[in-house]
Amino acid sequence: QVQLVESGGGLVQAGGSLRLSCAASGIIYNILDMGWYRQAPGKQRELVARVGSGGSTNYADSVKGRFTISRDSVKRTVYLQMNSLKPEDTAVYYCNTFPSLGTWGQGTQVTVSS
């Protein structure tokens, strides 16, 4: 059974930082690309960052230079370090494989105040 458990969200002022974590189980973690996605109110879910099984990374233009995705194969955990946060980063953040599976975790809320 696939389980994806996100944590680390919160309320932060613009310019601040947060580090999100996602613990994955029930999948062959080490051979899969993993991604962080976000969904803002009234908008579609979008891919924010992606990390390959070998550690290669890709970012949406909107977060490039501010966010860093990483993974720990021993802990089966994916991280998203978010710096220089902006109000437009406010969303529920989810992790999943890339491409995504049909199962999603509960997500973690990130709210950035101006």
Side-chain angles (χ1 to χ4, degrees), residues 21-43:
S21 299
C22 170
S25 61
I27 58 175
I28 309 173
Y29 173 86
N30 289 341
I31 66 170
L32 295 172
D33 289 9
M34 297 295 295
W36 278 98
Y37 303 74
R38 69 185 180 189
Q39 187 166 21
K43 294 189 177 181

Side-chain angles (χ1 to χ4, degrees), residues 25-80:
S25 61
I27 58 175
I28 309 173
Y29 173 86
N30 289 341
I31 66 170
L32 295 172
D33 289 9
M34 297 295 295
W36 278 98
Y37 303 74
R38 69 185 180 189
Q39 187 166 21
K43 294 189 177 181
Q44 287 195 329
R45 189 174 290 158
E46 62 173 346
L47 178 68
V48 172
R50 168 187 166 190
V51 58
S53 57
S56 61
T57 58
N58 295 93
Y59 299 93
D61 287 343
S62 58
V63 306
K64 210 170 282 185
R66 301 188 297 121
F67 290 11
T68 303
I69 189 171
S70 61
R71 65 192 297 164
D72 185 322
S73 295
V74 174
K75 295 182 179 179
R76 299 172 60 91
T77 300
V78 186
Y79 303 98
L80 186 68

